[in-house]
Every structure is written in structure tokens, then in C-alpha cells.
Amino acid sequence: MGGEERFGEFVVVRRHGGGGHVAELALDRPKAMNAVSTDMARSIAGACAALGEDRDVRVVVLTSTNERAFCVGADLKERNSFSDAELVRQRPVARGAYTGVLELPVPTVAAVHGFALGGGFELALACDIIVADGTAVVGLPEVSVGVLPGGGGTQLLPRRVGAARAAELIFTARRVAAAEARELGLVDVLVEEGQDRTEALALAARIAANSPVGLRAAKRALRLGHGLDLRAGLEVEDAAWRSVAFSGDRAEGVAAFNEKRKPQWPGE
């Protein structure tokens, strides 16, 4: 299943693979280096809602159509025109874009090149895995313009790199180039320049070959169990196991293993 679908002016969703199991959510506001305007935020949230409800989707890859940037964050030109009341009204819309990515029920991979700053980096942090090429420059510079990371950065970054490292990065507002970003764990996979999208889609295809029921349950256990004490985390895992133990996917997976063939997942 191929093809593409637009969500507003600035977001396009493409399907990859024979079953369309890999969905690419492309940020497509190249003239503004994908700065997230109110309309774009609404479109990201809408695309995520549609993908989350599509049972054919097993993995989502977040990409950019701009050659120089993944996403430079919030549209500060638009923000500069807001009254206080308009800023308050816009907040839930902006937040919806980040939570839309974060709450996708399937594995997510970000393909990052060029600038991924502020809200742009937060969109990547909302994904499960970040693939970056050698041009990537990431950071959360919000305190340098009088705000703070408001797309999940203060919560997602310490979960990746620890509280002290996250504090240093957020308080200094510094930008981190690709090699150091990989060293610090800000990105997970570092690839050659221009290969971030290709490698992210290839990784997504490998993930999508696995059980869709298992993938969703594993992501749920990973997310819900994070930060809990071990005993509580193991209860989360057990609940997730019970949700898949009697599924068609489990029966097919065991049968395929024993019959030495590729599984044909029913997805239920």
C-alpha cells in the first residue's frame, strides 16, 4: 500500500512497503525550516491521531522535507504577533503536536539532519529511537529566548541522559553537534550525511516485520513501566504480556517458528 495523504499545508503522510505498515510523517514547511506554526501543530496532531487509529500501521517514521533542517522549533515570528490571550489559546494546540507524537501506540523513529532545535528536538525526543546524520545539530535553547522547553523537553531529556546532563544542556541552551550528540545519548544511531531518512526507514521496515500486537504491547510496557520501582514495573509488564498471550499473533508466531516459515501476522 503506497500513496500519500496531506494533513493541512505542512504535513504529508506516506506509506511504505507492501502492506503500508511503515508510515512516514514528513514535516513539510521547507521555506520556514519546518518552524511549527499553529496550523502546522494542528496538522501534526491530526496526522498522529489518524495514524494511531490505523491498525495497518506498525511503525511511524518522522522526517523532514527540508535539506537543512529537521525542525527549528516553534514559529517565533508567529509567536511575536500574539497577544497574551492568543498565546494562552494557542498553547493546547502546540502541546497537541508533541503529545500526538509521544502518544502514538506504535514504535516511532525520528530521522534527523541539520537543525533540530527547541520544539524540533522535542518532536524527535518524543520518538522511541532517533537516527541522525553527520549534519545534525540538536539542542533545547528555550531559556535563551526567555521561556523553557514546553514540548516535553524537561521531562524527556532527563529520561534519556540523566538529570544532571539534561540540566546542563537546558540551562546553557547550547547546541550539540552530531558526534557529541551520539556520545551523550541525545541521538541513538549516527549515520553518514544524507542517510538519516534511508536508514530510519530501513530500521522501521525491520521493526514492522514483527508482530503488530507484540510491538504495541511492548511499547506500552516500556512507556508505562519507565520510572516505576521494579516490582510495579514487572506488574506493568505482566499486564502487557496477558494482553498478547492469547492473541492471534502469538498463535501465528509460535506456529511459524515451529514450521520454519515467515509469520503472516493477523494483527489481533
Side-chain angles (χ1 to χ4, degrees):
M1 185 187 305
E4 65 179 45
E5 179 182 3
R6 294 208 72 91
F7 288 81
E9 186 178 355
F10 304 127
V11 172
V12 60
V13 171
R14 305 185 182 102
R15 303 303 180 97
H16 297 270
H21 299 315
V22 174
E24 177 185 3
L25 193 165
L27 306 176
D28 188 30
R29 196 186 179 199
K31 292 182 180 179
M33 299 179 76
N34 289 330
V36 182
S37 63
T38 302
D39 286 345
M40 187 173 177
R42 194 174 286 115
S43 295
I44 293 170
C48 288
L51 291 171
E53 293 173 0
D54 189 336
R55 300 299 295 189
D56 287 332
V57 174
R58 299 180 187 176
V59 188
V60 174
V61 181
L62 191 59
T63 69
S64 163
T65 64
N66 183 280
E67 293 183 357
R68 295 180 54 213
F70 173 72
C71 173
V72 294
D75 186 341
L76 296 184
K77 290 183 179 179
E78 179 189 64
R79 293 278 180 91
N80 192 49
S81 69
F82 283 171
S83 66
D84 288 352
E86 288 170 333
L87 184 60
V88 169
R89 285 195 296 270
Q90 196 257 1
R91 172 62 177 167
V93 178
R95 191 175 180 188
Y98 304 107
T99 56
V101 176
L102 186 64
E103 293 176 1
L104 279 165
V106 297
T108 50
V109 182
V112 174
H113 60 266
F115 297 114
L117 301 172
F121 188 38
E122 287 172 307
L123 287 172
L125 288 172
C127 294
D128 299 303
I129 304 167
I130 301 176
V131 176
D133 81 355
T135 70
V137 177
V138 305
L140 297 175
E142 283 87 346
V143 298
S144 69
V145 292
V147 290
L148 56 78
T154 65
Q155 305 306 304
L156 294 171
L157 190 59
R159 283 169 165 78
R160 268 190 164 265
V161 301
R165 178 67 68 192
E168 182 263 320
L169 292 166
I170 290 171
F171 294 163
T172 62
R174 71 183 179 94
R175 300 179 178 190
V176 183
E180 185 186 3
R182 175 64 185 91
E183 182 182 338
L184 296 179
L186 299 174
V187 305
D188 303 301
V189 181
L190 189 58
V191 299
E192 294 182 5
E193 183 175 339
Q195 293 300 303
D196 55 294
R197 177 176 178 270
T198 299
E199 293 294 333
L201 288 171
L203 174 59
R206 293 196 297 273
I207 294 170
N210 296 307
S211 158
V213 171
L215 288 171
R216 286 173 178 250
K219 176 162 181 171
R220 190 164 63 248
L222 284 163
R223 286 288 177 90
L224 293 179
H226 189 93
L228 300 179
D229 64 66
L230 180 58
R231 186 181 297 273
L234 290 173
E235 290 303 315
V236 168
E237 181 182 83
D238 186 65
W241 180 87
R242 291 174 185 278
S243 75
V244 303
F246 310 104
S247 68
D249 272 15
R250 186 209 62 86
E252 169 62 10
V254 172
F257 177 83
N258 284 290
E259 295 166 15
K260 297 180 172 58
R261 60 174 174 80
K262 183 178 180 180
Q264 299 297 317
W265 303 114
E268 58 185 21

